[in-house]
Amino acid sequence: MKINLLLGALALICCGNVVADERPNIVFFFADDQTSSSLGCYGNAAAETPNIDALAARGTRFDNAFVSQSICWVSRTTILTGLTGRSYGTAANPELARPDAVETLYSDILRERGYRTGYFGKWHAKMPRGFKQKDHFDEFEAISRNPYYKRMPDGSLRHETDLIVDRGIEFIENQPADKPFALNMWFNACHAEDKDRRPGIGAFPWPQGVDGKFEDSVLAPPRLNDPAIFDALPEFLRTTINRERFFWRWNTDARYQTNIRAYYRMTTGIDAAVGRFLEALQAAGLADNTIIVYTADNGYHMGNRGLAGKWSHFEESLRVPMIVADPRVDSSQRGKVSDAIALNLDLPATFVDWAGAEIPKRYQGRSLRPIVADQKPADWRTESFHEHFAVRHRIPAFEGLRNAEYKYVRYFDHGNYEFLHDLKNDPDELTNLASDPKHAETLAAMRARTDARVKELGGPLDPLKGEFTSSTVPYPEAAAMVGARADAEGFVRLFDGKTLRHWSGDPKYWSVQDGAITGVTDGSLKMNRFLTWEDSTVRNFDLRVKVKVTAGGNSGIQYRGTSRPDLGLDIVTGYQCDVVANVPKYNGMLYEERGRRILSHTGEQVVIDPEGQPWIVGKMPVKEFAADQWHDYRVLVRGNHHQHWIDGHKTADLIDLDENGRALEGVLAVQVHVGPAMKIQYKDFKIKHLPDDMPLQTAEDVKIPADATGVRPQGRLPKDWKAPVYGER
């Protein structure tokens, strides 16, 4: 597409106080999976987003900003092309962009207007064969997650959010004085690491600069978390990926609090990076002619309605933050909130308009420029079209319309199941009026308008190929089994015998040797280091694994543990079945890393009282197991009853009545220990997840004999130390 560059130079086209041919710089911050409710300027009192809030205070905050399709790659491709997903793809393959649709991106139009363009961050757009991103930007670097922390040349780790802004700052520091620029910084945050389901630092890794934020906060639970709201959904929404991932992230109070704190840290991390860039922009003398845009690619359920992710027609999914701060507009237009329906579809038209170029006729959005500079035009849209068709065999596909009063959608692969919501009287969309005769006229009218809009945008999609596949049952017995595959005996394999896929740890210590997970230390270790399983937390389970450790070696099977990124990204605390060669009283005992420490030595049957004191209530024989040989370890945990075995011989039997000290769920890990050089190996690793709701034994159920003695604590004790006696307390 050729743009007549003389048009902008020959005419002064004014919009409010903005002159078109002055070609402002454009900076576009694009977050991932961020609901507007996670920002302070949108009313979240718990959020810490001062820099983004300041943009809203001196710009325009759109109160009704939405995406046309709530999934990463479609939303991103829509912005690049100016077309809805249905329009840039084909009826047979709507997720893949057609070559003609992506021949000219908005960045190409800006380049023809003399702009220097930069792109740093997440790409994730499904382009046709032969498409090259670098052809469309002057500077381009795709920076992805998996993992979020990138190893730098000096060996340090840097979060992708900070790395993207580092590149943005370098870009403006090298900006020629005689050219405008358009800079895209597209974050991966706040997207979860889908393959890593460890709560907190695993699922939502945050930039190191916000370590500890919100740690002492109890954040509000999901506002729409009444189980009745979930139960009212049709079956195809109750069994989809949204529900599957709910069990990865939000299904218990403890998991919710850990993950929501981590999510807020990611948001605060983005905000800090934005602030750092704005300082650099000011220092470069470019701030007065640079427009800042901040938005996200889709919303996020965050546990609302018993769902996770996005991928639905509900407001949490479609609604996004959108802030535009243009320093050139009149002071009377700054700090305002617009009720105009704004779409991600509008952004490319806006960028092109700011550059003084002609908006392509094929673009399906409108420029937001007049709203930012003055006020909403009289003919601005009053209704928006929304759809979802990505991953259609697992995510229910829909299409429909939303206006200030009603939202209508139909799930066309599910018998055209229809929803009609009265947004004025039922803003939380809790009641479906599609079958209410009183709303039949509204339903019919919106259905007809949806038909017409679908036709305008490219027509109906081809029928679904194959069968729709459910992702989970609505209420699984064991949440850890959601998405897992078990063998005929109900065991899930944790290790493939070849790689450390599904495990997270420092490769300096961990590798695969001879078909076994192998941990090696050289005797210089200053802190115990861990390899953690990523696929789920563990609650009630039966774990089996073969273990071999060198003489003098010390390791352990960590379970129901807690990740401690404050100590190190791979550090875990919590219960542990010890693996200690040559020391029979420790091998197979129950220890608590960085907690209550020794809970039972090997051969002790123990009850921990409600105050946290462990008492020996019985004894078992202690056996020695040779080093440098394979042994079968078993850990069985049901409720608050813990049992360990080595080669079929029970080594620990403990009931934990300490409600404040115990853990009922957590991560699974293995350990290399400080001390002498050692080698530990694990193979044939498997686990059977037992039902989550196994009963807990109480003090009324468990009687501690009066002559029970206390477990000997760890560490050097006085020579006259005597074990306490339960009846003499």
Side-chain angles (χ1 to χ4, degrees), residues 290-555:
T290 299
I291 303 169
I292 309 293
V293 177
Y294 185 93
T295 189
D297 62 356
N298 48 249
Y300 212 43
H301 277 285
M302 297 174 70
N304 281 293
R305 305 179 196 276
L307 302 176
K310 44 271 186 182
W311 319 305
S312 83
H313 73 275
F314 292 111
E315 292 289 278
E316 305 92 81
S317 178
L318 299 177
R319 187 180 287 274
V320 292
M322 187 179 289
I323 298 163
V324 179
D326 185 344
R328 307 166 308 149
V329 303
D330 189 84
S331 60
S332 64
Q333 300 301 317
R334 298 174 189 172
K336 66 184 180 183
V337 178
S338 174
D339 65 355
I341 297 174
L343 298 172
N344 57 345
L345 195 61
D346 297 327
L347 290 173
T350 307
F351 299 153
V352 170
D353 193 14
W354 278 330
E358 181 181 355
I359 299 172
K361 291 183 172 56
R362 69 178 182 278
Y363 275 19
Q364 295 167 338
R366 294 184 61 177
S367 174
L368 300 171
R369 180 182 172 188
I371 299 174
V372 173
D374 192 4
Q375 60 185 346
K376 179 173 65 178
D379 64 347
W380 193 257
R381 72 169 69 89
T382 58
E383 194 164 67
S384 52
F385 176 79
H386 305 277
E387 63 184 351
H388 202 295
F389 50 66
V391 197
R392 209 170 144 192
H393 65 290
R394 292 192 66 200
I395 299 175
F398 70 84
E399 58 196 13
L401 298 171
R402 183 198 184 283
N403 56 47
E405 294 185 354
Y406 290 98
K407 181 188 290 182
Y408 164 81
V409 298
R410 59 191 179 213
Y411 283 83
F412 49 82
D413 289 335
H414 300 272
N416 268 342
Y417 190 101
E418 294 178 306
F419 282 90
L420 181 66
H421 298 295
D422 181 344
L423 299 179
K424 288 287 188 184
N425 298 307
D426 178 27
D428 290 331
E429 304 169 288
L430 301 181
T431 302
N432 184 7
L433 301 172
S435 60
D436 187 342
K438 296 178 182 178
H439 293 84
E441 186 176 340
T442 299
L443 180 73
M446 295 193 76
R447 184 190 294 148
R449 292 202 301 277
T450 298
D451 292 342
R453 188 63 176 145
V454 165
K455 185 176 180 180
E456 290 173 2
L457 295 174
L461 304 183
D462 288 356
L464 176 66
K465 296 177 181 178
E467 297 293 324
F468 182 83
T469 303
S470 295
S471 298
T472 182
V473 296
Y475 293 101
E477 275 195 340
M481 279 303 296
V482 173
R485 294 183 178 180
D487 63 18
E489 296 180 329
F491 282 91
V492 176
R493 296 281 170 178
L494 307 185
F495 171 54
D496 63 14
K498 301 176 183 178
T499 70
L500 291 180
R501 290 180 64 243
H502 309 289
W503 292 84
S504 178
D506 192 331
K508 179 179 179 180
Y509 308 108
W510 298 100
S511 64
V512 176
Q513 298 179 22
D514 305 318
I517 293 173
T518 303
V520 177
T521 64
D522 61 5
S524 63
L525 201 63
K526 302 300 183 183
M527 181 186 296
N528 299 342
R529 310 307 290 257
F530 297 81
L531 182 75
T532 311
W533 188 48
E534 297 177 337
D535 278 14
S536 77
T537 52
V538 296
R539 190 174 177 90
N540 300 313
F541 61 90
D542 188 352
L543 181 146
R544 316 287 180 92
V545 61
K546 292 183 182 298
V547 184
K548 183 167 71 171
V549 63
T550 54
N554 188 343
S555 182

Side-chain angles (χ1 to χ4, degrees), residues 119-123 141-144 164 184-188:
Y119 185 107
F120 306 105
K122 178 173 179 174
W123 179 253
E141 183 181 350
I143 302 173
S144 62
I164 289 167
N184 301 271
M185 287 173 279
W186 290 22
F187 301 117
N188 293 273

Side-chain angles (χ1 to χ4, degrees), residues 549-566:
V549 63
T550 54
N554 188 343
S555 182
I557 303 165
Q558 207 83 15
Y559 61 90
R560 287 186 177 177
T562 300
S563 297
R564 290 290 302 275
D566 55 316

